[in-house]
Amino acid sequence: MSLHQRFRDRLRPWYLLDLAAFIFGAGGSLWRNSSGFETAPPLFALVTAIVSGLLAVVVLRFTLGNLWGYAVEYANAGGQWSDLAFLVPVGSGLAGVVVTYAVTTDLGAAAWGGFWTFAVVAGVVAVAVSFAAGYRGTSA
């Protein structure tokens, strides 16, 4: 197998999201340093930008991995992705992102708010569905 073919087989489209997250994290760090928010020596600024970019990739992978895991586990438990019990937490998380961004105009805070909105609403929905299924199972 040629090197070109092995490279093509291992390159996934999702890696472009990783690259975009890295550029976003590193670029944001460099922008903050160059616009006077921070003043650091050039080598420290470069290392900070690389670490910020890698952290952005980790956060992206963590977030997408958790959302994908939630969706797959929901489907494996017999649910459909079009069920209201699946869509409510996802929609609430997206609404949390929009509302938090509108209030704070900070993308990081918006992502954090959306994640916790999703997590809390998913927990509440899971408890409510468990109670409903439990009561339905005892009455039969």
Side-chain angles (χ1 to χ4, degrees):
M1 179 181 292
S2 72
L3 181 62
H4 174 63
Q5 189 175 8
R6 279 188 281 179
F7 180 72
R8 189 184 70 227
D9 290 343
R10 290 183 183 217
L11 186 63
R12 305 279 188 252
W14 289 102
Y15 294 160
L16 293 175
L17 280 176
D18 289 342
L19 180 64
F22 180 82
I23 291 171
F24 179 77
S29 177
L30 290 173
W31 177 78
R32 283 189 306 273
N33 193 31
S34 68
S35 61
F37 289 113
E38 301 171 2
T39 54
L43 180 61
F44 183 75
L46 181 65
V47 170
T48 303
I50 291 171
V51 170
S52 295
L54 292 174
L55 181 62
V57 172
V58 168
V59 168
L60 174 79
R61 288 272 181 122
F62 177 76
T63 303
L64 291 180
N66 281 329
L67 290 174
W68 183 249
Y70 176 76
V72 168
E73 288 301 318
Y74 187 83
N76 287 343
Q80 298 293 324
W81 290 356
S82 59
D83 292 346
L84 192 59
F86 176 76
L87 294 176
V88 166
V90 173
S92 297
L94 292 174
V97 168
V98 170
V99 169
T100 307
Y101 186 76
V103 171
T104 64
T105 65
D106 181 13
L107 192 58
W112 191 246
F115 169 76
W116 283 110
T117 303
F118 167 79
V120 169
V121 172
V124 169
V125 168
V127 169
V129 167
S130 294
F131 277 133
Y135 286 125
R136 191 173 36 236
T138 59
S139 64

